[in-house]
Amino acid sequence: MSEAEFIKAEPEEIGFTKHEFCSQKKVCIPYLTAPPYFSEDFPTGSSVYYNLHAIGSGVENTISHTMTPDTFNRINGTAVILHGYGGNKEVMMVTAIYFRALGMNVVIPDLFGHGESNEKFAFGSREHHLLFQLIRQMTDKKENKELIVVVGHSMGTLTASNLLSSEYVDAAILLAPMMRFDLAAKEYLPNKSPLLSRFFSKHIDNIVTHAMEDASVTLKETDILINLNESNKPVLLVNSNIDSVSPISYFLPVKNKQLTKLIFENRAHSSLMVFNKEDSSKIEKWLFNL
């Protein structure tokens, strides 16, 4: 859900480039791109690392990971990385560091109503139409078909799961995926602000109804379970055993054989945006089998 600014550097300072893609109907989406890291660009003894501190669900997590040049370039392809509610493309640069070290190009959009987007907030339910076009354009420019994986966190997992219907997308990694929005809202407010929750708990249903009517989005459009049950492509689902915003129990009904589930123990919701060394070995075991 809502994330802090985890990286203070400007995108251009750490190898990202800003772009904007617009449809013929002038619907636009701002996004960042960055290439993989190459070992020859790093002096002997240097490395790439991140360190993320997150609080939530009654725990504090510090997630660190260091990647040395000898581990770079192990997989070719592109990762399309999607932020959660209240976040923006810059927040996901920390996630992108990992995929760049693996050897992948990264593309990080602002979801509608977030960051530099001028489009109306849509709960992550409409962006896939525009991203279909962007991914097709990027893929058509390449001579060789390469692996394209969509990676979403929280609300961004809805967009990621919608993108599975694109012929150009091969698989999805869903980090702390969002429940249907009415259910998510009831868990999110106490998690984010217990004081506000006490004031608004009786009104949350009305607030959700009005917000969704204003966005012209139905509850069904925010129900990721539909996409998970129907997907014919590999999906990796990552949850925490203590995350009430994305509880493991919510996804138990999904029996799709294409779905692989991972549980990272005692992790706050926002901490699932990144992986430590142990986490990454599990992620890579799945990735390298695609």
Side-chain angles (χ1 to χ4, degrees), residues 58-246:
V59 300
E60 292 188 33
N61 301 122
T62 298
I63 312 299
S64 302
H65 193 25
T66 299
M67 294 150 284
T68 52
D70 60 299
T71 66
F72 291 174
N73 308 120
R74 287 177 291 143
I75 187 168
N76 294 320
T78 295
V80 179
I81 302 173
L82 302 147
H83 65 79
Y85 176 74
N88 56 34
K89 58 188 182 301
E90 285 78 16
V91 161
M92 301 308 286
M93 292 191 300
V94 67
T95 313
I97 288 171
Y98 172 75
F99 288 96
R100 293 177 69 185
L102 274 182
M104 303 183 81
N105 296 287
V106 295
V107 177
I108 321 175
D110 274 329
L111 298 183
F112 292 170
H114 290 76
E116 296 178 302
S117 169
N118 293 317
E119 305 301 330
K120 192 174 184 179
F121 174 62
F123 300 89
S125 68
R126 301 282 162 80
E127 291 83 347
H128 59 287
H129 299 296
L130 198 54
L131 291 171
F132 282 154
Q133 298 175 47
L134 174 59
I135 292 169
R136 183 175 66 237
Q137 183 185 85
M138 292 188 310
T139 305
D140 287 346
K141 288 181 178 179
K142 298 181 184 294
E143 292 182 9
N144 300 318
K145 175 73 173 81
E146 63 173 25
L147 181 70
I148 296 181
V149 179
V150 290
V151 182
H153 177 255
S154 196
M155 193 180 74
T157 60
L158 181 61
T159 307
S161 70
N162 283 333
L163 285 169
L164 285 166
S165 60
S166 166
E167 63 180 299
Y168 298 100
V169 170
D170 299 296
I173 299 174
L174 308 180
L175 308 171
M178 183 179 81
M179 296 189 287
R180 199 180 66 195
F181 191 76
D182 57 330
L183 303 173
K186 290 175 182 176
E187 293 296 337
Y188 174 64
L189 194 56
N191 193 5
K192 185 66 179 173
S193 178
L195 185 61
L196 279 177
S197 178
R198 286 199 291 272
F199 282 112
F200 290 112
S201 59
K202 293 180 180 178
H203 308 287
I204 194 70
D205 287 333
N206 284 336
I207 293 169
V208 167
T209 299
H210 287 306
M212 300 199 75
E213 286 176 352
D214 184 58
S216 301
V217 173
T218 65
L219 282 178
K220 184 178 179 181
E221 288 178 288
T222 70
D223 190 353
I224 198 172
L225 294 183
I226 297 170
N227 290 341
L228 293 183
N229 279 311
E230 293 178 354
S231 176
N232 60 358
K233 295 175 182 175
V235 176
L236 181 64
L237 192 69
V238 180
N239 288 105
S240 163
N241 61 316
I242 60 168
D243 183 5
S244 60
V245 179
S246 180

Side-chain angles (χ1 to χ4, degrees), residues 59-61 63 238-243 248 262-268 271-272 276 278-279 282:
V59 300
E60 292 188 33
N61 301 122
I63 312 299
V238 180
N239 288 105
S240 163
N241 61 316
I242 60 168
D243 183 5
I248 295 168
L262 289 181
I263 298 171
F264 292 168
E265 297 287 334
N266 301 320
R267 294 280 288 273
S271 79
L272 291 176
N276 61 27
E278 182 183 350
D279 301 338
K282 296 173 182 177

